[in-house]
Amino acid sequence: MSHLMNTYGRQPIAFSRGEGVWLYDEAGNKYLDALAGIAVSTLGHNHPRLVEAISRQAATLIHTSNLYRIPLQEQLADRLTACSGMDEVFLANTGCEANEAAIKLARLYGHRKGVEKPAVVVMEQSFHGRTLATLSATGNRKVQVGFEPLVAGFVRVPFNDLGALEKVALNCPSVVAVLFEPVQGEGGIHVADADYMRAVRALCDRHDWLMMLDEVQCGVGRTGKWFGFQHADLLPDVMSLAKGLGSGVPIGACLAAGRATGTFQPGNHGSTFGGNPLACAAALTTLDVIEGDGLMARAEALGERIRSGFAGALDGVSGIRAIRGVGLMIGIELDRPCGVLVERARDAGVLINVTAERVVRLLPPLTFGEADADELVGRLAPLVREFLEA
Ligand SMILES: *Cc1c(COP(=O)(O)O)cnc(C)c1O
C-alpha cells in the first residue's frame, strides 16, 4: 500500500532514466517520449546543456529569497520580455500560480478603476489549473465537482465565438478581462483562430478589458513561435507561462504589458520559491537552446511532418474526426473514447496521452528529430487504425 494520496490514475510503469527523446523503464525497455511530461520536457531528457547549467547553479546557489535582488531573475525577465514584447514579469513555480497571478492582477486592475465586483470572461473546455480560483476558471465540470463553493467572478462563453463575447460586452458591465488559451491543451487541442484573437484584442481595447492568455501549455516555442499569440500578430496585456519554461525544473511566469503594466505593487503578490536561482538558470538555458538550436522552426516543420504523416497513414479510416494542431502540439480526434490507446501505445514503446476522452494528444520534446517523428507515426498510426477498425 502506498502512502501517497490517491490523486492520480497512474499507469503501472516507472521510468528510471531518460536520454534525449527516450525514456527507459525499470526493466530496461525504452519508450519514445511523444508527451514530454505533458509539454514540460522541452529539451527532452538529460540535455547536456541543461544538466550542466543546473549542476553549476546548484553548486553555486540554489535559493536566496525574494527579500533580496536575484540577478538571474532580472536576466530571465529581460529575456522573456525581449522575446514576447511584454513589459514585466512575475515569477512563480507552476501554471496554476501563474494564472492566479493573472486573475489577481485583473481584479486589482478592475478595483483600481472602480469596478466593485470585477469578473473575468473564461471559455468552455478550458483548463487553467487545480487551485480554487483556477479550477473555477476551468471549463470542465469534472475538475470542479465536489469543491463548491467555487470562486465567484467568472463568466463563461464558448471558445472561438466572437458573438458570445460581444453579448457579454453588452450585458456584463463588471467584466474587466478575458482569459483563454491560444491553443486549448487539456480541452483537446483546439486552436483559436487568428481572426478571433485579433477581434478579441479589439474588443478588449474598446471596453478596457485585459486580454489575458494562458500559454502555460502552448508557450515557449512549442507552436513554432515563442508564444501562441505571435501567430495572430498582436500583444496581450497579460500572459501566463509554466510547463515548458524550465524544461522539467518547476517555474511559472505571469507577464504584463501595456495597460496591465505596473498593476502589482509591493505587498500585492508574492511567492517564497518563485524564480529562485536554480529555476531561473533552467529557464534561461531552455530559452538559449530553443533559440540557438533553431528549435522553433523545427517544431513547425516537424509538426507539419507528423500531422501529414498521420493524415496519410490514416487516410480513408472511418472514425478519424480531425488531425489538428500547431507545431508540436497535435491532436488526433476520434469519433469515440480512446483512452485504451495510451496503454497500447506504451506496449508498442510510445508514450502519448488521451485528453477530452477522444483526442490522442502528442506533445513531443522540441528536440524531436525527423526520424523520431517518422517512428512515432510508424508505431502509432497502425494502433489507431486497428482500434477504429476493430
Ligand atoms: C497544465 C496547465 C495549467 C496548470 O499548470 P500546473 O503547473 O499544473 O499548475 C494551466 N493552464 C494550462 C493551459 C495548462 O495546460
Side-chain angles (χ1 to χ4, degrees):
M1 247 313 261
S2 165
H3 288 97
L4 290 170
M5 279 197 195
N6 192 21
T7 49
Y8 304 102
R10 292 182 199 267
Q11 297 171 46
I13 188 171
F15 302 104
S16 49
R17 72 188 177 89
E19 203 181 304
V21 300
W22 297 91
L23 280 169
Y24 294 80
D25 70 13
E26 291 171 323
N29 302 307
K30 67 182 219 176
Y31 301 82
L32 183 63
D33 187 0
L35 189 60
I38 318 183
V40 166
S41 307
T42 305
L43 305 183
H45 304 284
N46 289 11
H47 192 286
R49 299 238 346 242
L50 184 67
V51 171
E52 203 269 327
I54 61 182
S55 304
R56 184 159 30 84
Q57 191 56 46
T60 307
L61 187 61
I62 293 176
H63 177 81
T64 54
S65 160
N66 285 307
L67 293 171
Y68 311 107
R69 276 188 54 217
I70 299 177
L72 283 168
Q73 265 188 27
E74 294 168 13
Q75 274 181 43
L76 178 57
D78 288 347
R79 283 298 304 277
L80 285 172
T81 52
C83 64
S84 64
M86 305 292 282
D87 292 331
E88 56 179 19
V89 181
F90 173 82
L91 291 167
N93 309 285
T94 60
C96 59
E97 283 175 88
N99 286 330
E100 285 275 345
I103 295 163
K104 282 182 67 177
L105 192 155
R107 286 186 168 195
L108 200 54
Y109 182 84
H111 282 294
R112 294 230 173 103
K113 63 172 182 173
V115 179
E116 217 168 285
K117 293 189 171 172
V120 176
V121 183
V122 291
M123 307 282 157
E124 288 171 5
Q125 308 154 2
S126 63
F127 183 79
H128 300 296
R130 300 283 196 159
T131 60
L132 278 171
T134 59
L135 75 81
S136 302
T138 290
N140 178 350
R141 267 304 284 162
K142 278 197 213 152
V143 169
Q144 300 171 337
V145 79
F147 301 110
E148 297 84 358
L150 300 182
V151 172
F154 295 104
V155 177
R156 198 168 306 284
V157 297
F159 186 62
N160 254 337
D161 181 342
L162 187 65
L165 210 51
E166 283 170 338
K167 252 185 225 150
V168 169
L170 287 178
N171 300 325
C172 308
S174 59
V175 166
V176 297
V178 182
L179 170 66
F180 67 97
E181 301 152 81
V183 184
Q184 290 187 326
E186 303 302 305
I189 314 291
H190 298 285
V191 183
D193 298 331
D195 285 345
Y196 172 75
M197 300 254 294
R198 283 189 286 265
V200 175
R201 177 67 277 178
L203 200 64
C204 287
D205 289 338
R206 201 163 339 124
H207 297 280
D208 189 23
W209 295 349
L210 299 180
M211 181 178 188
M212 310 205 297
L213 297 179
D214 179 347
E215 298 229 10
V216 167
Q217 190 163 149
C218 69
V220 198
R222 177 158 294 280
T223 65
K225 294 189 186 288
W226 279 119
F227 305 106
F229 71 77
Q230 290 167 336
H231 293 274
D233 199 21
L234 52 79
L235 195 65
D237 300 300
V238 175
M239 168 172 68
S240 51
L241 301 174
K243 289 199 167 88
L245 180 57
S247 237
V249 178
I251 183 165
C254 176
L255 290 81
R259 286 177 286 137
T261 307
T263 305
F264 281 142
Q265 291 299 316
N268 290 142
H269 198 46
S271 166
T272 298
F273 290 112
N276 79 18
L278 185 73
C280 289
L284 280 163
T285 304
T286 302
L287 299 177
D288 280 349
V289 175
I290 290 174
E291 187 158 52
D293 290 1
L295 298 189
M296 285 180 281
R298 187 151 138 173
E300 189 185 4
L302 278 183
E304 197 52 56
R305 188 182 183 97
I306 292 170
R307 283 192 303 277
S308 62
F310 277 108
L314 297 171
D315 186 34
V317 177
S318 74
I320 303 287
R321 283 262 179 84
I323 299 172
R324 60 177 175 248
V326 43
L328 289 177
M329 203 169 173
I330 297 166
I332 304 170
E333 181 171 341
L334 309 189
D335 66 353
R336 66 200 78 165
C338 59
V340 67
L341 279 171
V342 170
E343 182 184 339
R344 293 191 192 162
R346 201 176 66 234
D347 289 343
V350 182
L351 302 176
I352 61 160
N353 169 254
V354 167
T355 191
E357 286 187 349
R358 53 190 68 191
V359 181
V360 173
R361 179 171 50 162
L362 306 172
L363 300 164
L366 303 194
T367 52
F368 233 53
E370 290 185 352
D372 303 318
D374 296 346
E375 178 132 13
L376 170 62
V377 176
R379 290 195 198 191
L380 188 57
L383 298 178
V384 175
R385 177 188 286 268
E386 276 163 37
F387 171 75
L388 288 170
E389 287 176 349

